[in-house]
Structure formats: C-alpha cells, structure tokens
C-alpha cells in the first residue's frame, strides 16, 4: 500500500499541494474513473501495428479479450479501467513481460500458463478471492493484487524470483506461506485483518515491510530481517516500541496512529532518519529524551500527541535533537 509522504511544506503553496496529494491518494485507494470511450474494435488497433512492443488499451470499456493473436512481439500490454470479466485468449502472447488488468471485473486468476516470460502482473482492484494458477509464471518479479477479496496468502511458493508482493486492502488474517520467496525485497500487506507479525524469518532480503491498518498490537518476530530499511506499522494497536535490536539498517519507522505513550528502544537504530509517531498518546517530555541518541534522525512527526500542545513544542524538540531538519512536515530553521 502506498505509504503517505509526509514532507509537504506548510506554506500556502504547500497546503495546496497537500490537498492535491491527499486527493490523489484517495483516488488511488478508491478508483472512480470517468467512463472512457468504447473501443470500436481491438482487432483494428492490433492490425494497424501488429509488431508493436507496447500497447495501451486502458480506459476503453473493453468487455472481452480477443483478436490479440497478431501481436508477435508484444512485451507490455495494459488493460486498465475496463470491464473485463475473464482472463482469456492470451496464449499466443508468449513475449509478454508486463501485463496489467488494474480496475476491471475479474473474479479469478486463470489462463496465464503460456505467459512464461511475464515479470510484472497487476490484478489490483478486481474481485479476485483466491491466489491461484500462477505456477508457470516463474519469472515473475512483481505481483500486484491490491484491493481484491483475497483471504489467504497461498499458491505462490513457486514464485522464487518475486522481489515485490503487494497484497494491500484484502481480507488476509495471517502472514503465511512466504518461506520460498527468498528474493522478496518489498512486502505490502496494509489494510488487512492481520493480528500478528509472524512467519517472516526466511525473508532475509526484505527491505520494505508495510503492515499499516491491521490489528497488530506487538512488534515481534523481525529478528531475521537484518536488511530491513523501512517498517510501516501505522494505524494498529501497538503500545510499545520493542524488539528492533536486530534491525539496525532501519532508516524509516512509521508508528503513527497507535497507542504509544513513550518512545522506547530506538537508540540501537543508528541509521534511523525518519520517525513517525504522530497521533499517539505521548504526554511527557521525558519520554522524548531518547531521541538524543539518534544522531542520524532528520525528520520526526509528533503532532497530535498531548506534548504537541505545549506552546514550546518545536523549540523543545529541536533542543533535544538539534540535528533535526524537519518537524511535522515543516522545515527547521
């Protein structure tokens, strides 16, 4: 899931940019696309340039995949924002490297076996309930399944070349069946129903882990992720920062909108540059003093905590960590 950027300046222009960014993020989360012009004939477009390497058929109200056989060299094919209900008639497109069905009406992953060279597959914003029928796509590097109705992580153990897996906004309750994905570098599981961080030990190459907007109450089981650089746990029920001693490469830690009352156990994070703990319950400056130990820290978000009501909030925070460059989206001076 996209992790919200927090570095918009608080000038008038910056405020406008913030609104635009927020609107863009909202639009991305809930597609609301103006109906496009209905395509008269896929066949006609294909015949006009059968040797093309890339074809964009986005936003054309296409209902059925057909007449694609002449595309002998096609590598990238896009069907964003259409009305496609079934994946079919793609068997001849064996040169495909990237295929996109973002925001259609698909209910099942099927009929992809022939696409053995596929590296990027985007099936986000559909109605898919199960991960299946990906056995032959062993070259796949990026798989996007955002905003479907998937309840379980399964049937992906053969995708050992995956470096990005995006499963945000589904109905997943448990992290499981990922052990074989040893090359995974980015894992996005935000906006699900996950209650526990678990079963990640084999993902030793993981650099980005996003578990925003779940039901997690404890930071745990991250010891093996020594290459982790970004950890996103906002909008959960975490009460304490703990168990990050092995994650010394962390440069971004997002714990906004949790139940923190103190900032603990981060002095070991010598590479930490971004700390987001806004919208918590931190109410005592003694609980912020620990930031003196984090000499690499550049940005801190503490707004919407009780201490942020202090009229000397910014000067006090800057005094604790004089090397800060930004506090709550505003540059330090």
């Amino acid at each position: 899931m996209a992790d919200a950027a927090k570095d918009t300046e608080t000038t008038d222009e910056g405020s406008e940019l913030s609104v635009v960014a927020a609107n863009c993020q909202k639009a991305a989360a809930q597609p609301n696309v103006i109906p496009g012009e209905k395509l008269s004939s896929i066949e006609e477009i294909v015949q006009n340039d059968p040797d093309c390497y890339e074809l964009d058929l986005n936003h054309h109200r296409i209902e059925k995949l057909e007449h694609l056989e002449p595309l002998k060299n096609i590598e990238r094919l896009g069907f964003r924002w259409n009305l496609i209900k079934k994946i079919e008639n793609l068997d001849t497109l064996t040169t495909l490297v990237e295929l996109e069905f973002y925001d259609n009406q698909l209910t099942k992953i099927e009929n992809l076996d022939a696409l053995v060279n596929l590296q990027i597959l985007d099936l986000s914003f559909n109605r898919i309930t199960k991960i299946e029928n990906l056995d032959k796509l062993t070259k796949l590097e990026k798989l996007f399944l955002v905003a479907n109705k998937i309840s379980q992580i399964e049937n992906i153990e053969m995708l050992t070349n995956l470096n990005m897996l995006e499963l945000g906004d589904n109905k997943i309750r448990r992290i499981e069946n990922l052990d074989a994905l040893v090359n995974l570098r980015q894992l996005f599981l935000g906006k699900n129903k996950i209650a526990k961080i678990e079963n990640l030990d084999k993902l030793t190459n993981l650099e980005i882990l996003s578990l925003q907007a779940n039901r997690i109450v404890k930071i745990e089981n991250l010891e093996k992720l020594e290459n982790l650089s970004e950890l996103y746990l906002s909008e959960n029920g975490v009460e304490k920062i703990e168990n990050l001693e092995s994650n010394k490469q962390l440069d971004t830690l997002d714990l906004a909108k949790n139940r923190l009352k103190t900032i603990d156990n981060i002095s070991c994070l010598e590479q930490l540059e971004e700390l987001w703990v806004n919208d918590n319950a931190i109410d005592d400056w003694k609980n912020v003093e620990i930031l003196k130990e984090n000499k690499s820290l550049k940005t801190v978000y503490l707004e919407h905590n009780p201490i942020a009501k202090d009229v000397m909030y910014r000067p006090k925070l800057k005094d604790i960590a004089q090397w800060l460059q930004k506090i709550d989206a505003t540059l330090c001076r």
Side-chain angles (χ1 to χ4, degrees):
M1 300 290 286
D3 298 301
K6 298 190 176 184
D7 42 1
T8 307
E9 299 301 325
T10 53
T11 59
D12 291 340
E13 181 182 358
S15 299
E16 292 176 7
L17 288 173
S18 296
V19 172
V20 172
N23 289 339
C24 288
Q25 184 181 15
K26 184 176 180 181
Q30 300 291 338
N32 182 18
V33 181
I34 300 171
E37 181 180 352
K38 189 173 179 62
L39 198 65
S40 57
S41 171
I42 294 179
E43 186 176 15
E44 183 178 339
I45 290 178
V46 169
Q47 288 179 349
N48 282 339
D49 190 6
D51 296 322
C52 66
Y53 290 94
E54 184 171 344
L55 181 58
D56 176 355
L57 291 170
N58 299 341
H59 205 195
H60 283 300
R61 296 166 62 193
I62 297 169
E63 297 181 5
K64 183 178 175 63
L65 294 174
E66 57 186 350
H67 307 306
L68 297 166
E69 292 80 6
L71 299 172
K72 300 301 182 183
N73 300 313
I74 192 72
E75 294 183 358
R76 290 176 174 78
L77 185 56
F79 289 101
R80 267 190 178 230
W81 302 313
N82 282 291
L83 305 171
I84 299 167
K85 293 181 172 61
K86 184 176 182 178
I87 301 173
E88 58 186 337
N89 300 321
L90 299 175
D91 288 356
T92 61
L93 309 184
T94 56
T95 55
L96 266 182
V97 173
E98 181 174 352
L99 179 61
E100 184 177 31
F101 286 109
Y102 181 105
D103 194 10
N104 276 274
Q105 298 176 9
L106 300 174
T107 58
K108 186 175 183 178
I109 304 173
E110 59 185 333
N111 301 319
L112 295 171
D113 286 0
L115 308 186
V116 294
N117 291 304
L118 207 60
Q119 296 176 13
I120 302 173
L121 177 60
D122 192 344
L123 297 168
S124 300
F125 291 96
N126 279 281
R127 303 167 186 177
I128 296 166
T129 58
K130 184 176 183 178
I131 304 174
E132 59 185 336
N133 300 319
L134 297 172
D135 306 57
K136 306 298 183 182
L137 308 186
T138 56
K139 291 186 179 180
L140 209 59
E141 296 179 2
K142 292 180 171 60
L143 176 59
F144 300 86
L145 285 161
V146 183
N148 278 281
K149 299 180 179 180
I150 296 166
S151 59
Q152 185 175 7
I153 303 173
E154 59 183 335
N155 301 320
I156 56 174
E157 61 275 1
M158 74 296 295
L159 305 180
T160 56
N161 285 308
L162 267 191
N163 58 59
M164 174 188 281
L165 177 59
E166 169 62 277
L167 284 165
D169 196 6
N170 277 283
K171 299 181 178 181
I172 297 167
R173 294 181 178 273
R174 189 163 186 242
I175 303 173
E176 59 185 339
N177 301 321
L178 295 172
D179 285 0
L181 308 186
V182 294
N183 291 304
L184 202 64
R185 283 175 167 73
Q186 300 181 33
L187 177 60
F188 298 91
L189 292 168
K191 203 176 180 184
N192 277 285
K193 300 179 179 181
I194 297 167
K196 185 176 182 179
I197 303 174
E198 60 184 337
N199 300 320
L200 296 172
D201 286 359
K202 302 296 184 181
L203 307 185
T204 55
N205 288 307
L206 203 63
E207 297 172 358
I208 300 175
L209 176 60
S210 176
L211 290 164
Q212 297 171 313
N214 276 283
R215 300 172 179 179
I216 295 165
V217 296
K218 185 175 183 179
I219 302 173
E220 59 185 333
N221 300 319
L222 297 173
E223 293 83 3
K224 302 295 184 181
L225 307 186
E226 295 182 356
N227 290 305
L228 199 65
S229 61
E230 299 178 26
L231 177 59
Y232 300 94
L233 289 168
S234 62
E235 296 184 64
N236 280 284
V238 177
E239 296 183 352
K240 184 178 181 180
I241 303 176
E242 59 185 334
N243 300 321
L244 295 174
E245 292 80 8
S246 299
N247 310 113
K248 297 185 182 300
Q249 299 301 314
L250 270 183
D251 60 54
T252 300
L253 178 59
D254 179 9
L255 283 160
K257 297 184 179 180
N258 276 278
R259 298 174 182 172
L260 299 176
K261 292 184 178 179
T262 62
I263 301 175
D264 300 303
N265 306 314
I266 64 168
S267 57
C268 58
L269 305 178
E270 296 180 359
Q271 307 298 319
L272 192 64
E273 296 182 1
E274 303 264 345
L275 177 62
W276 305 342
V277 287
N278 52 283
D279 295 274
N280 277 283
I282 300 167
D283 59 1
D284 191 333
W285 283 104
K286 292 180 181 179
N287 298 325
V288 183
E289 293 285 333
I290 192 172
L291 297 183
K292 287 183 176 180
E293 305 298 323
N294 296 89
K295 305 296 185 182
S296 297
L297 204 57
K298 296 179 179 178
T299 300
V300 171
Y301 278 80
L302 268 165
E303 60 187 347
H304 307 304
N305 279 282
I307 60 168
K309 296 178 181 178
D310 189 328
V311 293
M312 296 296 291
Y313 163 66
R314 288 181 62 84
K316 283 185 177 181
L317 190 51
K318 191 67 166 66
D319 187 56
I320 290 172
Q322 298 177 10
W323 45 88
L324 282 177
Q325 296 178 11
K326 191 177 295 182
I327 298 173
D328 301 338
T330 302
L331 287 172
C332 297
R333 297 175 180 173

